[in-house]
Amino acid sequence: MGHEFDRTIALTHTDDGYEAELDPGWVVGGGVNGGYLLAVLGNALRETLAGKPDPFSLSAYYLSASTPGPARVTTEIVRDGGSVATARAELSQGDTARITALATYGDLAGLPDDVRTSGQPFEVAPRERCIDAGAHMPEEMRRGVPLMERFDLLLDPASVGWALGTPSGEGEIKGWIRLADGREPDPISLLMFCDALPPTTFDLGLFGWAPTLELTCHVRAVPAPGWLRIRHATTNLAGGMFEEDCESCDAAGRPVAQSRQLARAPRG
Amino acid sequence: MGHEFDRTIALTHTDDGYEAELDPGWVVGGGVNGGYLLAVLGNALRETLAGKPDPFSLSAYYLSASTPGPARVTTEIVRDGGSVATARAELSQGDTARITALATYGDLAGLPDDVRTSGQPFEVAPRERCIDAGAHMPEEMRRGVPLMERFDLLLDPASVGWALGTPSGEGEIKGWIRLADGREPDPISLLMFCDALPPTTFDLGLFGWAPTLELTCHVRAVPAPGWLRIRHATTNLAGGMFEEDCESCDAAGRPVAQSRQLARAPRG
């Protein structure tokens, strides 16, 4: 019943927390996608912080690579006062800590209606001019990246040079994205989308895994149904690390999530 | 002995953590500056994580406003493996939690020398054309903002319209900054600088306190001695909240810190 995405982030209550089953469908390279793990953590925090359903901010520190299979999530409320609540969460497998996180939750639907966005929204080519990332991936590459089956990703033509041997060098990858199972976006799936695109380092000509050290996502509004416009960008690759900013806008053109991560650069 | 900044972030070891004395010189409006508190936390984490002196990433969740006077900092190592270590830290006063934080530390000086920064550095007017923020503040306003005495802040002429009744509406404030006591910048003081400028909401014509919910700072390099170029910017004020990005570049023009915070917008 329901959507695949909800089944793969589902939790079982236990005496001291939650159990999750990390789905092999979210594997990318050697590990489980960090955005999917954020959504699992975010789901556990939503259960813990009843009445404050939405992640305003979630900061995750990645300690070791997760593998498909059972995982445990523990949560602890740090402060629950007024309109927001702050809590800790840990995701572990066996005796090994995978992620430690902090988050502040509240009710996005209860926020005032003022919108004074001053930034220029990023432009993405119309979907009919974009390139279906999954459909163009060679079969042997797809086998190593099952997460590409989880969503529909249409990349802007300006963002696919890396796949053709001509990365732009701008450090930007953008396009349109939605879950492949037909589930509409919500604040929890926005946590996943903020780490779903290929690393921006691909667009700098550096291929390979870019393990996240830290990722903070701010969810700013409940997304409207439909495709999300999404952009990954970096400006500073130095000392073997880079920052990766992700912005997503909903079908109504409203910014709905902003994230930044610090990741290790691939050797390239 | 030494510099004022180091005295105000100094810690005394106790059985279960550290004691700090939050300095009244860092008061702004009704509370203690959040950047100064980050530096106090960052200093405690540096003591805890011996051999890994530098904050690669520090995420702080602000729970309640701090006041001048004694504070307690407790830290706990989550994982210490290889080149980086991750730890929790809490700052409290009496029985009240002020800040809960996560951080990953390492040794910035030990990172590889590769720099492939692809972003365009932000431009700031030469210092001789900038406006000394402290010198132009009316005396009665200065009394409520003693932290303005802690640093020299030269604002770009494009960033001072708000003080003259003509905010640009861009949501950007930039300039040059250094500690007033002559202490050169280092990774710990960069944590303070990332929340030292007036809120970007001033440049949107919204005055008043903008309490931080969450702030994550990535320190990317050991800063060269001298003035820092610094910029605060926001793009999305909505639902009573805004994000505030801070970038700082050292005297050699190298990006040294990037931070983003989620804050509540002043009523304006």
Side-chain angles (χ1 to χ4, degrees):
Chain A
M1 305 315 102
H3 292 107
E4 177 193 74
F5 181 71
D6 295 298
R7 286 195 299 274
T8 63
I9 65 167
L11 302 161
T12 310
H13 285 254
T14 63
D15 285 348
D16 62 345
Y18 307 91
E19 293 208 340
E21 184 70 25
L22 302 185
D23 194 272
W26 287 95
V27 163
V28 49
V32 176
N33 173 255
Y36 163 67
L37 297 172
L38 272 192
V40 171
L41 278 168
N43 202 26
L45 286 160
R46 166 179 272 188
E47 298 259 339
T48 301
L49 300 168
K52 300 193 169 85
D54 303 314
F56 286 10
S57 178
L58 197 163
S59 299
Y61 281 69
Y62 292 76
L63 306 169
S64 60
S66 297
T67 53
R72 201 162 61 95
V73 182
T74 57
T75 59
E76 183 188 357
I77 297 174
V78 179
R79 181 175 180 273
D80 188 351
S83 60
V84 296
T86 298
R88 271 188 275 275
E90 314 279 333
L91 189 147
S92 57
Q93 293 189 289
D95 293 335
T96 308
R98 299 301 193 197
I99 301 176
T100 182
L102 285 170
T104 289
Y105 272 54
D107 182 5
L108 286 170
L111 295 178
D113 283 334
D114 63 308
V115 176
R116 295 183 48 167
T117 301
S118 53
Q120 297 302 311
F122 57 96
E123 297 292 328
V124 180
R127 284 194 292 281
E128 59 273 20
R129 290 190 37 230
C130 287
I131 286 104
D132 184 330
H136 285 75
M137 193 179 266
E139 179 57 33
E140 70 276 16
M141 194 186 283
R142 281 173 86 112
R143 276 196 294 270
V145 196
L147 98 158
M148 291 299 293
E149 317 280 337
R150 306 281 82 71
F151 39 73
D152 298 321
L153 173 61
L154 304 178
L155 290 175
D156 189 287
S159 295
V160 295
W162 53 268
L164 308 168
T166 54
S168 81
E170 298 283 328
E172 181 183 81
I173 294 181
K174 61 187 181 180
W176 302 88
I177 200 165
R178 66 179 182 187
L179 280 163
D181 62 7
R183 184 188 187 276
E184 296 293 353
D186 76 336
I188 298 296
S189 65
L190 290 176
L191 298 174
M192 177 277 293
F193 285 122
C194 77
D195 199 24
L197 296 197
T200 51
T201 36
F202 282 18
D203 192 44
L204 298 176
L206 296 171
F207 298 98
W209 195 41
T212 305
L213 293 176
E214 183 272 336
L215 190 157
T216 295
C217 183
H218 298 164
V219 179
R220 302 296 304 281
V222 178
W227 288 89
L228 295 167
R229 245 189 307 170
I230 193 160
R231 179 173 70 153
H232 261 198
T234 188
T235 62
N236 185 34
L237 188 150
M241 296 191 283
F242 65 107
E243 101 284 13
E244 181 163 77
D245 287 1
C246 182
E247 295 172 67
S248 52
C249 292
D250 69 9
R254 181 166 182 184
V256 288
Q258 294 176 300
S259 72
R260 175 173 290 165
Q261 66 173 278
L262 181 66
R264 287 193 194 274
R267 302 286 164 118
Chain B
M1 306 311 105
H3 292 106
E4 178 192 72
F5 180 73
D6 294 299
R7 286 195 300 275
T8 63
I9 65 167
L11 302 160
T12 310
H13 286 252
T14 63
D15 284 348
D16 62 346
Y18 306 92
E19 293 206 340
E21 184 70 23
L22 303 185
D23 194 272
W26 287 94
V27 163
V28 50
V32 175
N33 172 255
Y36 162 66
L37 297 172
L38 272 193
V40 171
L41 278 168
N43 202 27
L45 285 161
R46 167 179 271 188
E47 298 258 340
T48 300
L49 300 167
K52 301 190 169 90
D54 304 314
F56 285 9
S57 178
L58 197 163
S59 299
Y61 281 69
Y62 292 76
L63 307 169
S64 61
S66 297
T67 53
R72 200 161 63 95
V73 182
T74 57
T75 59
E76 183 187 356
I77 297 174
V78 179
R79 181 174 180 273
D80 188 351
S83 59
V84 298
T86 299
R88 273 188 273 275
E90 314 278 334
L91 189 147
S92 58
Q93 294 189 289
D95 293 334
T96 308
R98 300 302 194 197
I99 301 176
T100 183
L102 285 170
T104 289
Y105 272 54
D107 181 5
L108 287 170
L111 295 179
D113 284 335
D114 63 309
V115 176
R116 295 183 50 166
T117 300
S118 53
Q120 296 303 311
F122 56 98
E123 296 292 328
V124 180
R127 284 193 292 280
E128 59 275 17
R129 291 190 36 232
C130 287
I131 287 105
D132 184 329
H136 287 75
M137 193 180 268
E139 179 58 30
E140 69 275 18
M141 193 185 286
R142 282 173 84 110
R143 275 196 297 269
V145 196
L147 99 157
M148 291 298 294
E149 317 281 336
R150 305 282 82 72
F151 39 74
D152 299 322
L153 173 61
L154 304 177
L155 290 176
D156 189 287
S159 294
V160 296
W162 54 269
L164 308 167
T166 54
S168 82
E170 298 282 328
E172 180 182 83
I173 295 182
K174 62 187 181 178
W176 301 88
I177 200 164
R178 66 179 181 187
L179 280 163
D181 63 6
R183 184 187 185 278
E184 295 294 355
D186 76 337
I188 298 295
S189 64
L190 290 176
L191 298 175
M192 178 277 294
F193 284 122
C194 78
D195 199 23
L197 296 197
T200 49
T201 36
F202 282 19
D203 192 44
L204 298 176
L206 297 171
F207 298 98
W209 194 40
T212 304
L213 293 176
E214 183 274 335
L215 191 156
T216 295
C217 183
H218 298 164
V219 178
R220 301 295 305 278
V222 177
W227 289 89
L228 295 167
R229 248 189 306 170
I230 194 160
R231 179 172 71 151
H232 260 197
T234 188
T235 62
N236 185 32
L237 187 150
M241 298 191 282
F242 65 107
E243 101 284 13
E244 181 164 79
D245 287 1
C246 183
E247 295 173 66
S248 52
C249 290
D250 69 8
R254 180 167 181 183
V256 288
Q258 293 177 301
S259 71
R260 174 173 291 165
Q261 65 173 280
L262 182 66
R264 287 193 193 275
R267 303 284 164 119

